[in-house]
Amino acid sequence: MSRSPRILMCPPDYYGIEYEINPWMNRENATDPTASVWQWWALHDALRDLGVEIETLEPVPGLPDLVFTANAGLVFHNTFVVSRFRHGVRQGEAPHFERWARRHGFDVVDMPPHLHFEGAGDALFCGSTLFAGYRYRSDAGAHQWIGTQLGVEVLPVELVDPRFYHLDTCFCPLAEGAALYYPGAFDDYGRSVLRDRIETLIEVEAEEAVSFSCNAVVVGRSVLLNEGAPKLARILRGIGFTTTPLRLTEFIKAGGSAKCLTLRLDGEEAASWSHAEALAVH
Ligand code: ARG
């Protein structure tokens, strides 16, 4: 019997727009705390209804972006590579993520101090390859370092549009050999890498990409994504996925949506190593 999918989330008790580190953030555009809590719980409950076991990290005052657990680090089997945030305002999050990972039995790996790396926000497995975004947050050198440490193939792709500053805002693996992407977030080279290496690569239109539709959480054949992408939802249903649109407007104010609010702890179905793990369990 395979185990339930496991996801780490952090409640939005201290969430808000307190600084501006991406083009979506504007301190004048305050979040509504009640709406943030409702929207966060709707995502939490939709995941739980899919059979996901949710782990929660305790929120910390003064760390408003701690809710974005995709940026905690990168999970590979039992290894947890802790993020090294580019911006000082987020650097205080790393010790909390690290402590959580150690307490939950992960082997924590620290990267050399001169490198920046923002976890599953910028590094996503599709098949056995780790696709890795660099420039705005993570360094290409960090991705190379991870490839050597984990012994996996890493394909770094440059992000060229500051609105899509993390890879998970413009690229989303669906299954081994299948992914969503917004072409405008990559340069010619990046686009050709993705096209050459991913058999079924679904293009998301600019209009739907700006509503964070690539920032989707995939659990088995279910896709949870921000509302505002009816065309993409139709395409996904056409290839056998069910879709759940969610209202995540409060989190978009910080430049995040469904995927950013989650960290898959047992490996997404798109990651070939997660199946190896499942086989080893029973
Ligand atoms: N305000 C956060 C930041 O700019 C949002 C992080 C979104 N996370 C993500 N995985 N895309 O760092």
Side-chain angles (χ1 to χ4, degrees), residues 2-186:
S2 62
R3 289 185 298 193
S4 312
R6 287 171 65 219
I7 284 181
L8 176 66
M9 293 182 73
C10 174
D13 300 26
Y14 306 107
Y15 170 65
I17 313 298
E18 292 176 16
Y19 44 77
E20 296 167 8
I21 54 171
N22 68 54
W24 303 89
M25 301 177 91
N26 173 355
R27 265 168 295 186
E28 320 258 279
N29 189 18
T31 55
D32 172 342
T34 311
S36 307
V37 169
W38 275 100
Q39 294 181 1
W40 187 89
W41 278 102
L43 171 64
H44 174 284
D45 291 354
L47 288 166
R48 203 202 37 203
D49 292 348
L50 291 173
V52 175
E53 203 183 298
I54 315 257
E55 305 268 358
T56 44
L57 175 77
E58 197 163 326
V60 179
L63 296 176
D65 277 339
L66 198 65
V67 290
F68 296 114
T69 52
N71 298 125
L74 175 70
V75 176
F76 178 66
H77 296 278
N78 203 45
T79 299
F80 195 104
V81 183
V82 188
S83 289
R84 249 181 222 286
F85 290 92
R86 178 165 305 266
H87 296 289
V89 285
R90 290 201 71 185
Q91 284 165 1
E93 296 176 35
H96 297 279
F97 289 132
E98 175 164 355
R99 195 170 319 119
W100 184 92
R102 283 192 199 282
R103 284 194 183 148
H104 288 78
F106 285 95
D107 301 322
V108 172
V109 173
D110 278 323
M111 58 173 48
H114 63 281
L115 295 170
H116 296 118
F117 172 65
E118 298 204 353
D122 267 336
L124 298 161
F125 281 96
C126 192
S128 52
T129 302
L130 185 66
F131 291 87
Y134 67 91
R135 178 165 167 180
Y136 298 108
R137 298 301 181 85
S138 301
D139 298 323
H143 296 320
Q144 278 163 358
W145 184 87
I146 286 171
T148 309
Q149 283 289 311
L150 304 182
V152 298
E153 181 194 32
V154 176
L155 291 178
V157 286
E158 184 164 4
L159 302 173
V160 303
D161 180 334
R163 293 171 305 165
F164 301 94
Y165 58 94
H166 275 140
L167 183 66
D168 70 358
T169 62
C170 51
F171 174 71
C172 174
L174 293 169
E176 286 196 50
L180 304 175
Y181 86 130
Y182 168 54
F186 302 92

